[in-house]
C-alpha cells in the first residue's frame, strides 16, 4: 500500500516537463498538459511575480488603486449555440475572471481576428451580443483591434478580450486562506455550457437542446463579498470543469476537498447526454457558475444569498475541505463508495461502446 | 437522472453488499474476472470495490477495445494516415495511443489529416462530401462495434461510394477468454461477462466456459447495481458448486443475441486465420477482416500497409494487465513515466483501460474514506 501511495504522490507532484515536439490538441484541453505547457514554457520565459501565481487575474497597484488585470482568447465552434455565442462568451469569460478575483470589472478591450469570407451579418450579430453582454455586466469596451486573415487561416472568427477591474477592499481571496472545515458551494448546475456547445456542433445525433449558461457572475460574486474574510476563495469552473478547478485548489493549498455526489446539481438533460457519451459532468465546462469556499458557520448564509439571485437559484453546498489526504479531491459516490477526482488528462472524449 | 438513479441507489447497494457478505463460502478466497473495460471503469467510478467482502477479488480482463490493439497495428494506422490525399478517421481514444513512431495525434501535428468521428457512418458521410479525397475508417472493437462497421460497408457498396475504405481491426470475445483460461499462471473462479457485446453475440458464446472449464459466467449490465448483483450471482453459484451461464442483464441481452447484427457482420467480414492481440500474442480465429467481395473497401488491400508485428515498449506491462496477472499500480512506470497525458501503454489511454481507471479514480491512493 505504501508503495502505491508514494508512487502516485510522486507522479502527481512531478515537475512540469514538456516532452512533445509539437503542439497537439491535448495542450489546449485545460488539463495537465495545458498546465505543463504554461509552467514549463511560458512561465519559464516570461515568469515574474505578477504572472507567477497563474491565477485568473493579476493583482497590481497603480497610483494607490488596487487593480485586477486579465485576458482571454476565445475560439469556439460553432460561433452561435443555444444560450450564447462567441461574443457574449468573450465578454462574460473575461468579466468572470475579474469577478472571481474579488474585483469589480471596469473596462474591456477586444481584438478580433476575422477570416476572409466571414458573413458581415454574423459579425454584426456577434458584436451586438457583446454589446448586450457588456451592458449587463456593467462594463464598456474601451479599446479594440481588427485583423483579417486569408480564407482557411482562421476559425471564422476569434476574439481576444482583456479586462481591468477594481479590487473590492472587503475581501482578500486565495488558496492560502482556505481552512479545513470550510464548505464548498457551487452557484448552479454543472456542465451546461460544454454540453450545449458539444451538441450544437451537430455530429452527436442527440435530440436534446441544452442551453449554455454563459453569463456574468459578477452580481453573484459581489453578493458574497459581504462575508469579508469568511469568503476564502472564488473561481469560475470553465474549461476542465469543477474537477479541474478544485484540483488546482487542493494542489495550491495542500488540503483535500471531499465532494458529495448526491449534492452535485446537474440538469437531467446534461446528465443523460453525459451518460450516453461516457462523459463526466464534473469535467465539462461552465461559463456562468462560480465555486465559493466559505467558512463553515457562514455557509448557510452564503447559500441563501446566492439562491436569492436568479443566477444562483440552484446553488448547493457540495462538499467540504479536509486536511487529509493532501492535495486530492475525493468524491463520496451516491452508490456508497468513494473515489479520487483527478485533473483532466486529455480532452473529454465520447466513448466508443 | 431518473433512469440511472434507479441503478445507483446507495440503499440497494448496501443491501446487496450484506447479502454478498453472507453468501461468501466460508474460508474461501474467490477471484472473479470482469472481462470488460466498461465494467472496470464503472467499478472504480462508483467505488464499488469498497463494498466487496474480504476474500473476494476482482481481476481485470481483456475487454477494452482500444487496449488490445497491438503496437504494429497502430503503426499501420499512422502509415495509412500519412498516405497522400487521405482523410484518416478514428474514434477519439485511438488518437492518443502511442505507436513505435508516435500516435495518430502526433501524425496529425506533422500534417496528416486525422479526424475524430463518432461512428463509421460519419466517416462514410465525409467520403461522400469529399469526393476528391480518400477516406479511411480505423475500425476497432468487439462484436459491439462490428455491426455498425458492417452496415456502413453495406451502404458504401449500395451507394457506390468508392473513395471510402475500412482498416479492419475488429475482434471477437470468445477466443481471448479461452486463451486466458488456458494460461497456467492465473486462477480464476468465475467471469463477469460484458453486457453490450453479449447483446449482439447472445450469451451462448460463453457456454464453453461453463461446460469445458467448469467456471460460472454471469452476463452483466453496466450500472454499478448490475455489477454488484452479478457478483452475488457468481458467488452463489460457487457456494452451491454450480457452473452455469446466467444472464443478469435480461433487459438487454437475449440468449441468441441480435440475429440482424450478426447477419450484417457475416455478410461483410470473415475470421482471419490469426490476429495479434496486445499482451496475448497471436490468437487463432480471433480477428475479423473484410470478405473478398468487399476488397474494394478494404484499406489493407488498397494500400501498402507495413503489417509488421512490433514489440511493446520494453517497460510496458499492459500484456500482463490485460490478462489480469499484474495490477496496474504494480507496473514500474505506472503514474510516473506512464500517465494519461503521456501514456506508454494502451491501458493508460482508453477510459476503459484498467491503468487509466486506476489512475483516474485514484485506486493508487491512500485507503481511507468510506465514512
Ligand atoms: S502503467 Fe502504462 S505501461 Fe504500465 S501497464 Fe499500464 S499502460 Fe502499460
Amino acid at each position: 500500500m505504501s508503495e502505491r501511495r508514494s508512487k502516485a504522490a510522486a507522479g502527481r507532484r512531478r515537475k512540469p516537463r514538456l516532452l512533445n515536439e509539437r503542439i497537439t490538441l491535448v495542450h489546449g484541453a485545460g488539463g495537465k498538459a495545458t498546465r505543463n505547457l504554461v509552467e514549463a514554457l511560458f512561465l519559464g520565459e516570461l515568469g515574474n511575480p505578477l504572472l507567477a501565481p497563474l491565477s485568473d487575474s493579476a493583482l497590481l497597484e497603480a497610483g494607490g488603486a488596487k487593480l485586477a488585470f486579465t485576458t482571454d482568447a476565445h475560439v469556439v465552434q460553432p460561433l452561435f449555440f443555444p444560450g450564447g455565442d462567441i461574443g457574449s462568451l468573450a465578454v462574460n469569460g473575461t468579466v468572470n475572471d475579474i469577478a472571481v478575483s474579488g474585483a469589480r470589472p471596469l473596462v474591456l478591450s477586444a481584438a478580433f481576428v476575422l477570416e476572409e469570407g466571414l458573413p458581415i451579418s454574423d459579425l454584426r450579430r456577434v458584436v451586438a451580443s457583446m454589446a448586450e453582454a457588456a451592458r449587463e455586466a456593467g462594463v464598456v469596451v474601451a479599446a479594440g483591434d481588427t485583423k483579417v486573415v486569408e480564407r482557411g487561416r482562421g476559425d471564422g472568427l476569434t476574439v481576444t478580450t482583456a479586462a481591468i477591474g477594481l479590487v473590492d477592499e472587503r475581501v482578500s481571496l486565495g488558496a492560502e486562506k482556505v481552512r479545513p472545515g470550510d464548505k464548498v458551494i457551487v452557484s448552479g448546475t454543472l456542465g451546461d455550457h460544454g454540453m450545449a456547445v458539444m451538441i450544437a456542433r451537430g455530429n452527436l445525433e442527440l435530440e436534446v437542446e441544452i442551453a449554455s449558461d454563459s453569463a456574468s457572475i459578477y452580481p453573484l460574486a459581489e453578493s458574497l463579498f459581504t462575508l469579508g474574510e469568511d469568503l476564502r476563495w472564488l473561481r469560475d469552473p470553465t474549461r476542465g470543469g469543477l474537477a479541474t478547478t478544485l484540483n488546482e485548489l487542493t494542489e495550491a493549498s495542500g488540503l483535500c476537498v471531499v465532494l458529495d455526489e448526491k449534492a452535485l446539481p446537474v440538469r437531467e438533460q446534461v446528465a443523460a447526454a453525459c451518460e450516453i457519451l461516457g462523459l463526466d459532468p464534473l469535467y465539462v465546462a461552465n461559463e456562468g457558475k462560480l465555486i465559493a469556499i466559505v467558512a463553515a458557520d457562514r455557509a448557510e448564509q452564503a447559500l441563501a444569498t446566492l439562491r436569492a439571485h436568479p443566477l444562483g437559484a440552484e446553488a448547493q453546498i457540495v462538499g467540504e475541505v479536509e486536511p487529509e489526504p493532501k492535495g486530492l479531491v475525493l468524491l463520496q459516490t451516491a452508490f456508497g463508495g468513494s473515489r479520487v477526482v483527478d485533473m483532466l488528462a486529455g480532452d473529454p472524449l465520447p466513448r466508443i461502446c | 437522472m431518473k433512469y440511472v438513479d434507479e441503478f445507483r441507489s446507495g440503499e440497494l447497494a448496501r443491501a446487496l453488499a450484506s447479502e454478498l457478505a453472507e453468501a461468501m463460502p466460508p474460508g474461501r478466497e474467490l477471484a472473479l474476472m470482469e472481462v470488460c473495460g466498461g465494467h472496470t471503469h464503472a467499478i472504480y467510478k462508483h467505488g464499488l470495490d469498497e463494498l466487496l467482502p474480504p476474500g473476494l477479488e476482482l481481476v481485470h480482463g481483456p475487454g477494452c477495445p482500444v487496449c488490445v490493439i497491438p503496437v504494429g497495428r497502430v503503426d499501420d494506422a499512422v502509415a495509412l494516415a500519412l498516405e497522400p490525399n487521405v482523410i484518416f478517421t478514428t474514434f477519439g481514444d485511438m488518437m492518443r495511443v502511442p505507436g513505435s513512431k508516435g500516435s495518430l495525434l502526433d501524425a496529425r501535428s506533422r500534417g496528416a489529416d486525422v479526424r475524430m468521428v463518432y461512428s463509421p457512418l460519419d466517416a462514410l458521410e465525409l467520403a461522400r462530401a469529399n469526393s476528391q479525397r480518400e477516406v479511411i475508417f480505423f475500425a476497432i472493437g468487439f462484436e459491439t462495434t462490428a455491426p455498425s462497421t458492417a452496415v456502413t460497408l453495406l451502404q458504401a457498396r449500395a451507394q457506390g461510394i468508392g473513395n471510402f475504405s475500412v482498416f479492419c481491426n475488429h475482434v471477437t470475445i470468445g477466443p481471448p477468454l479461452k486463451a486466458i483460461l488456458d494460461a497456467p499462471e492465473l486462477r480464476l473462479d468465475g467471469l463477469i461477462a460484458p453486457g453490450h457485446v453479449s447483446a449482439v453475440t447472445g450469451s451462448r458464446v460463453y457456454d464453453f466456459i461453463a461446460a469445458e472449464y467448469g467456471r460460472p459466467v454471469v452476463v452483466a449490465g453496466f450500472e454499478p447495481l448490475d455489477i454488484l448483483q452479478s457478483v452475488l450471482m457468481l458467488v452463489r453459484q460457487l457456494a452451491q458448486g454450480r457452473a452455469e451461464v446466467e444472464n443478469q442483464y435480461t433487459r438487454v441481452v437475449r440468449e441468441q443475441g441480435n440475429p440482424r447484427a450478426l447477419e450484417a457482420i457475416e455478410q461483410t467480414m470473415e475470421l482471419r486465420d490469426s490476429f495479434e492481440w496486445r499482451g496475448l500474442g497471436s490468437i487463432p480465429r480471433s480477428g475479423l477482416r473484410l470478405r473478398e467481395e468487399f476488397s474494394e473497401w478494404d484499406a489493407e488491400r488498397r494500400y501498402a500497409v507495413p503489417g509488421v508485428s512490433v514489440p511493446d515498449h520494453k517497460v510496458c506491462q499492459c500484456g500482463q494487465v490485460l490478462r489480469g496477472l499484474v495490477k496496474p499500480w504494480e507496473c514500474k512506470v505506472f503514474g510516473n513515466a506512464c500517465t494519461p497525458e503521456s501514456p506508454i501503454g494502451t491501458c493508460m489511454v482508453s477510459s476503459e483501460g484498467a491503468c487509466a481507471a486506476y489512475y483516474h479514480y485514484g485506486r493508487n491512493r491512500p485507503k481511507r474514506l468510506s465514512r
Side-chain angles (χ1 to χ4, degrees):
Chain A
M1 188 63 74
S2 70
E3 185 196 354
R4 294 197 208 189
R5 191 180 315 179
S6 55
K7 236 178 190 184
R12 290 196 157 83
R13 253 189 278 112
R14 211 154 31 111
K15 263 216 348 241
R17 288 180 304 168
L18 202 56
L19 298 171
N20 314 63
E21 273 168 31
R22 290 171 193 270
I23 292 293
T24 71
L25 286 176
V26 181
H27 289 119
K32 288 182 192 167
T34 307
R35 255 238 330 253
N36 280 351
L37 175 69
V38 170
E39 291 182 10
L41 195 151
F42 287 104
L43 213 49
E45 298 291 335
L46 300 172
N48 64 65
L50 285 175
L51 183 63
L54 294 180
S55 49
D56 287 310
S57 314
L59 298 182
L60 47 130
E61 281 200 43
K66 277 197 184 163
L67 300 175
F69 179 48
T70 190
T71 185
D72 238 321
H74 300 271
V75 284
V76 60
Q77 278 307 333
L79 298 175
F80 304 92
F81 44 85
D85 54 61
I86 191 169
S88 53
L89 204 60
V91 169
N92 292 331
T94 306
V95 159
N96 291 348
D97 281 347
I98 294 287
V100 295
S101 305
R104 178 162 60 88
L106 297 176
V107 285
L108 277 182
S109 73
F112 296 81
V113 178
L114 312 174
E115 185 179 339
E116 181 187 16
L118 175 77
I120 294 279
S121 56
D122 281 2
L123 183 59
R124 191 185 300 281
R125 237 177 107 188
V126 167
V127 177
S129 145
M130 283 183 88
E132 163 89 30
R135 241 189 327 275
E136 269 174 34
V139 292
V140 291
V141 177
D145 185 39
T146 309
K147 296 281 187 299
V148 177
V149 294
E150 277 170 55
R151 195 183 287 273
R153 302 216 163 177
D155 221 0
L157 165 63
T158 65
V159 188
T160 302
T161 45
I164 295 176
L166 189 63
V167 172
D168 195 303
E169 296 288 352
R170 290 171 290 179
V171 288
S172 111
L173 306 170
E176 73 287 351
K177 305 276 159 55
V178 175
R179 299 278 167 269
D182 289 353
K183 299 287 185 197
V184 182
I185 305 178
V186 297
S187 65
T189 52
L190 299 172
D192 298 3
H193 174 74
M195 223 53 217
V197 170
M198 229 179 274
I199 288 172
R201 284 190 194 127
N203 47 12
L204 291 178
E205 292 174 31
L206 288 183
E207 303 269 317
V208 281
E209 198 180 283
I210 293 169
S212 164
D213 57 351
S214 175
S216 159
I217 53 169
Y218 177 69
L220 287 180
E222 208 249 336
S223 73
L224 296 179
F225 290 167
T226 52
L227 294 171
E229 61 185 26
D230 286 336
L231 178 64
R232 319 280 206 211
W233 183 88
L234 275 182
R235 271 299 172 86
D236 57 329
T238 54
R239 191 176 53 173
L242 180 72
T244 303
T245 311
L246 285 178
N247 267 286
E248 285 165 7
L249 169 70
T250 56
E251 196 147 307
S253 65
L255 296 167
C256 166
V257 167
V258 181
L259 295 171
D260 176 4
E261 187 173 45
K262 287 198 292 284
L264 294 171
V266 181
R267 242 176 252 295
E268 204 169 309
Q269 301 96 304
V270 173
C274 279
E275 197 57 38
I276 290 165
L277 299 171
L279 299 176
D280 186 340
L282 285 174
Y283 292 90
V284 181
N286 310 278
E287 289 290 347
K289 298 289 150 48
L290 63 75
I291 315 175
I293 305 239
V294 175
D297 53 358
R298 307 287 294 278
E300 287 298 335
Q301 180 196 345
L303 188 66
T305 309
L306 287 174
R307 285 185 176 168
H309 192 280
L311 279 179
E314 288 165 291
Q316 287 281 0
I317 297 176
V318 296
E320 192 176 321
V321 178
E322 296 197 4
E324 297 272 344
K326 290 189 194 317
L328 289 184
V329 179
L330 304 175
L331 178 79
Q332 299 283 350
T333 69
F335 191 66
S338 67
R339 64 164 151 108
V340 166
V341 178
D342 198 4
M343 231 170 145
L344 186 66
D347 241 329
L349 294 175
R351 74 162 151 236
I352 304 169
C353 69
Chain B
M1 230 197 127
K2 286 180 199 87
Y3 173 75
V4 160
D5 287 345
E6 242 178 83
F7 298 104
R8 295 190 180 164
S9 142
E11 229 168 281
L12 287 176
R14 273 193 302 280
L16 270 178
S18 65
E19 271 185 71
L20 182 58
E22 273 167 42
M24 279 294 284
R28 266 180 79 185
E29 304 255 302
L30 298 179
L32 306 178
M33 173 173 274
E34 91 272 4
V35 171
C36 174
H39 284 152
T40 310
H41 185 85
I43 288 166
Y44 295 109
K45 176 168 181 190
H46 298 283
L48 185 149
D49 54 327
E50 293 175 356
L51 302 182
L52 298 178
L56 182 70
E57 190 196 357
L58 291 180
V59 178
H60 320 304
C64 156
V66 171
C67 304
V68 298
I69 301 293
V71 180
R73 299 298 282 190
V74 179
D75 287 357
D76 291 348
V78 169
L80 285 171
L82 289 166
E83 287 276 343
N85 202 33
V86 158
I87 300 176
F88 192 83
T89 58
T90 172
F91 294 134
D93 269 359
M94 217 47 228
M95 292 227 257
R96 293 192 292 131
V97 172
S100 66
K101 296 174 206 75
S103 65
L104 285 165
L105 209 55
D106 295 321
R108 171 154 143 170
S109 70
R110 295 203 304 268
D113 191 349
V114 180
R115 304 193 196 175
M116 184 177 95
V117 290
Y118 299 99
S119 99
L121 285 169
D122 294 348
L124 187 64
E125 192 49 49
L126 209 56
R128 213 192 316 263
N130 294 272
S131 55
Q132 305 308 311
R133 306 278 305 271
E134 288 293 328
V135 175
I136 305 177
F137 174 68
F138 192 2
I140 64 160
F142 291 86
E143 287 91 338
T144 341
T145 50
S148 62
T149 304
V151 166
T152 307
L153 283 164
L154 291 169
Q155 282 198 13
R157 184 170 69 178
Q159 298 165 7
I161 300 179
N163 63 326
F164 172 77
S165 59
V166 168
F167 177 43
C168 184
N169 293 273
H170 285 299
V171 287
T172 56
I173 190 69
L177 295 181
K178 183 166 163 29
I180 284 174
L181 289 163
D182 281 335
E185 325 84 301
L186 186 66
R187 209 206 80 232
L188 277 184
D189 297 295
L191 285 91
I192 305 168
H196 292 162
V197 175
S198 314
V200 176
T201 60
S203 56
R204 280 182 309 203
V205 291
Y206 310 110
D207 286 352
F208 77 95
I209 298 176
E212 291 167 32
Y213 294 88
R215 305 284 204 287
V217 178
V218 173
V219 177
F222 287 84
E223 292 301 331
L225 279 177
D226 289 331
I227 301 173
L228 200 56
Q229 195 192 5
S230 305
V231 170
L232 177 62
M233 287 165 76
L234 280 172
V235 168
R236 288 210 167 121
Q237 283 203 44
L238 287 163
Q240 296 160 8
R242 287 184 292 135
E244 292 161 19
V245 177
E246 291 180 320
N247 184 3
Q248 182 275 336
Y249 203 27
T250 46
R251 59 185 192 277
V252 174
V253 176
R254 306 273 171 274
E255 195 185 336
Q256 73 284 11
N258 178 344
R260 293 223 336 256
L262 289 171
E263 167 64 22
I265 299 177
E266 182 63 28
Q267 262 180 290
T268 54
M269 298 173 209
E270 62 190 5
L271 281 172
R272 294 171 194 260
D273 291 338
S274 84
F275 187 78
E276 187 191 342
W277 293 62
R278 187 176 291 246
L280 297 167
S282 282
I283 304 180
R285 306 181 69 71
S286 66
L288 296 166
R289 67 162 175 222
L290 304 198
R291 283 185 182 280
E292 189 72 43
E293 312 109 81
F294 285 86
S295 47
E296 211 186 309
W297 292 275
D298 187 348
E300 282 176 271
R301 289 179 169 113
R302 280 173 61 162
Y303 299 88
V305 178
V308 267
S309 159
V310 180
D312 280 349
H313 192 290
K314 55 186 181 311
V315 296
C316 179
Q317 291 194 283
C318 289
Q320 284 99 309
V321 169
L322 285 166
R323 281 181 289 158
L325 296 175
V326 156
K327 294 277 180 206
W329 59 271
E330 289 168 344
C331 173
K332 274 197 274 318
V333 290
F334 176 87
N336 42 63
C338 184
T339 58
E341 70 269 23
S342 58
I344 290 178
T346 41
C347 306
M348 193 57 104
V349 178
S350 168
S351 63
E352 301 191 0
C355 294
Y358 264 63
Y359 188 89
H360 198 71
Y361 296 134
R363 273 312 183 275
N364 40 5
R365 53 111 208 262
K367 196 112 181 156
R368 176 215 97 122
L369 250 213
S370 303
R371 293 183 290 189

